[in-house]
């Protein structure tokens, strides 16, 4: 399979690429230049011509590119502008490239923050209607709508994976740290992406993929049905302490000028 991966040098991409190389032919996109590796292409996802050029001849795209540098509900005009460019315009460009070059499937990386407006302990369905909190969540939700548009109008098989923060089970810094109950171990997340590549009979699907814990409140039945995914790592069984979710789901950290 010929797979295009945007954001291939990012937190997820840097772990997904080694898991796929050797099994598939990869075209890896990054804002950085890798002159000694023909798999890599220096591409700005906000430039549609560059994205279309990279997508030619590909079978599937995995969209990982996001605006980096800040996490969570950080709000600031300049960074939000970058978020809109990369997370929304970049997503549109990728789907448009997929349409023009007739890619069979696009796997879009959404975020659990798209449904962050459902406060604990409320149960959240795997494809629950969006309740985004903060600009980052808003851009990821807009990406879901772009994905739905291209799936329904142009017949592109599309999976939107709503994912939480992934973590490295070998990171010693986390050995004595408390983590949130939705966090997902990287091996589980990478397996979800691999399952998404070959999941049958997908038109348009929104699937929540989280880790397992006694405090899980995010439904995984759609992930099991669509992907065949069940988490293999249970957070407490690995010795992690679970901390309470924040109570400010409806109050993003708005930074205003002085």
């Amino acid at each position: 399979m010929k797979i295009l991966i945007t954001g291939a040098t990012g937190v997820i991409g840097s772990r997904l690429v080694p898991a796929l190389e050797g099994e598939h032919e990869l075209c890896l996109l990054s804002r950085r230049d890798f002159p000694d590796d023909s798999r890599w292409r220096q591409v700005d996802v906000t430039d549609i011509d560059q994205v279309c050029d990279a997508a030619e001849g590909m079978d599937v795209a995995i969209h990982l590119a996001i605006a980096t540098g800040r996490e969570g509900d950080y709000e600031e005009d300049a960074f939000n502008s970058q978020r809109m460019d990369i997370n929304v315009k970049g997503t549109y460009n990728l789907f448009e490239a997929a349409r023009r070059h007739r890619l069979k499937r696009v796997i879009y990386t959404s975020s659990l923050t798209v449904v962050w407006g459902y406060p604990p302990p409320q149960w959240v369905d795997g494809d629950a209607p969006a309740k985004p909190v903060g600009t980052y969540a808003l851009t990821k939700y807009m990406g879901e709508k772009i994905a739905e548009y291209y799936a329904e109008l142009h017949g592109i098989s599309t999976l939107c994976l709503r994912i939480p923060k992934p973590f490295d089970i070998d990171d010693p810094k986390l050995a004595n740290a408390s983590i949130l109950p939705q966090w997902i171990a990287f091996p589980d997340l990478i397996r979800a992406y691999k399952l998404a590549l070959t999941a049958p009979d997908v038109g348009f699907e929104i699937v929540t993929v989280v880790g397992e814990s006694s405090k899980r409140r995010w439904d995984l039945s759609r992930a099991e049905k669509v992907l065949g995914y069940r988490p293999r790592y249970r957070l407490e069984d690995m010795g992690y302490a679970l901390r309470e979710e924040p109570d400010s789901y409806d109050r993003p950290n708005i930074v205003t000028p002085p």
Side-chain angles (χ1 to χ4, degrees), residues 151-169:
E152 293 185 354
L153 195 65
H154 300 295
I156 299 173
S157 174
T158 302
L159 276 158
C160 296
L161 301 185
R162 287 178 177 170
I163 68 170
K165 182 181 179 69
F167 70 96
D168 184 352
I169 60 176

Side-chain angles (χ1 to χ4, degrees), residues 181-201:
Q182 69 269 25
W183 285 13
I184 186 169
F186 265 113
D188 275 341
L189 181 60
I190 298 306
R191 187 164 54 86
Y193 277 100
K194 295 180 78 171
L195 290 168
L197 288 170
T198 56
D201 304 321

